[in-house]
Structures are given as C-alpha cells and as structure tokens.
Amino acid sequence: IICLLLLFPLLSNQALRKRNLNYIILTSNSDLIVIGKIKDFNDKTYLFQPSEFIKGDSQSTITVEMFEEWSCDRRIKKPAIDQDLFLFLNKKEDGSYEILNGSTGEIFINRSEIKTFSSADNIELYSLEVFKEAIEMIYESIKYVGNSYPSYGERTYYKRKVVDDKIEYNLFV
C-alpha cells in the first residue's frame, strides 16, 4: 500500500506536464516557419498552403502531420478548411512536415490576432503583426545551440548573431 501511495503521483495525469519550448528554441530548431491556410485535412494530416515564409522555403502546398493530443497538450480548436495558421515545422524524410512542440508550434490565427495557450492553460490573444515581427527579430538576431529537450547538466546556450564582422557572441552560457 505504501508503494502504491508513493507511485500514485507519478502515474496520475497531474504528474505529467508538457515541456514547453520557448520561441527562441522553436525558431532556431525549425526548418520552416510559415503563415498560411489549411486546404484539406483528415484525422492525421492536413494540406497546408503557405502564404508567407518567415524561415525556409517550401512547395506551394505541403503535408503537415498533426500532433497527437493528450491531456497536457491539446489543440485550441479542430482543423477547418481555410483556417489560418502560424506554424513552426520540421521536414521529415518522406517530405512531409511535423509541428514542433505540439500546440506551441501550431498557432491559430483569428483575423489579425493569434490564439495560443498561456502558462496558466488559458487561451491568450496577441497581435499577429507583433508576434510575426518578434519571431523575425529572433530569427535574425539569436540562435539557440543545443538539444531541444536537454538532459540535466547538458550544455545549451544562445548565440547572438552579429552582421558586422560575422562574429557570434555567446549569451546566457
């Protein structure tokens, strides 16, 4: 009985938490960052038509694998044709793309606002233009070096990209 009581917190959903990545890590580790529309979808994937490229380049229509939802990472709403999204993606060997860090990398756009989860698990609204500009600034100025999900003690750091003299400086070592 004592063993079960000690193991219960490890086995319950309360002990499970998503490891949210910040947008510096997502921006650095993405192959493709795009804004566009869902053109078609099924249970596992959607066809996506990028209209703006923040990082990388792709075909006019790409296949995106939807992340698997679970109690600590759920989609803000179900996919719909012509739904606008801001996506952080990695290219897979088969040519399709996967969303980085689940709901953190799949951001729903509603008119000129984006919908994302806050740390309190509430849906927050932000200006699309401000968010886009912030991601562009991160991409142009900071690079994350290290594993997206580092082990304890594994060295990770940020590098500031400098245009003059092509010098990179380590930040937050």
Side-chain angles (χ1 to χ4, degrees), residues 12-70:
S12 72
N13 280 347
Q14 297 296 345
L16 300 175
R17 294 219 180 261
K18 175 184 172 186
R19 288 181 71 181
N20 285 314
L21 299 180
N22 66 48
Y23 287 111
I24 297 172
I25 296 172
L26 282 180
T27 301
S28 293
N29 292 349
S30 295
D31 295 326
L32 187 63
I33 302 173
V34 291
I35 298 172
K37 290 182 181 294
I38 294 175
K39 290 317 218 179
D40 196 12
F41 65 93
N42 60 36
D43 292 340
K44 300 199 183 272
T45 63
Y46 48 78
L47 287 178
F48 188 77
Q49 185 176 36
S51 57
E52 282 188 68
F53 294 91
I54 311 301
K55 178 181 180 183
D57 197 11
S58 74
Q59 300 170 342
S60 61
T61 303
I62 59 174
T63 301
V64 176
E65 282 188 15
M66 290 191 274
F67 68 92
E68 189 173 334
E69 294 183 82
W70 58 298

Side-chain angles (χ1 to χ4, degrees), residues 1-16:
I1 295 176
I2 293 173
C3 288
L4 288 174
L5 290 174
L6 292 174
L7 288 175
F8 180 73
L10 297 174
L11 300 174
S12 72
N13 280 347
Q14 297 296 345
L16 300 175

Side-chain angles (χ1 to χ4, degrees), residues 52-96:
E52 282 188 68
F53 294 91
I54 311 301
K55 178 181 180 183
D57 197 11
S58 74
Q59 300 170 342
S60 61
T61 303
I62 59 174
T63 301
V64 176
E65 282 188 15
M66 290 191 274
F67 68 92
E68 189 173 334
E69 294 183 82
W70 58 298
S71 60
C72 294
D73 196 14
R74 56 186 166 48
R75 197 164 264 102
I76 288 178
K77 60 184 183 177
K78 302 243 182 261
I81 293 176
D82 288 332
Q83 171 64 57
D84 292 313
L85 296 172
F86 193 118
L87 298 174
F88 293 82
L89 303 168
N90 269 347
K91 192 169 189 174
K92 298 176 63 175
E93 288 182 19
D94 66 3
S96 67

Side-chain angles (χ1 to χ4, degrees), residues 99-126:
I99 300 166
L100 268 74
N101 201 228
S103 60
T104 312
E106 180 187 61
I107 300 167
F108 285 80
I109 301 170
N110 185 15
R111 291 183 221 110
S112 61
E113 294 181 322
I114 61 167
K115 289 185 176 185
T116 185
F117 287 110
S118 70
S119 58
D121 224 18
N122 296 319
I123 295 175
E124 298 286 339
L125 297 174
Y126 300 99

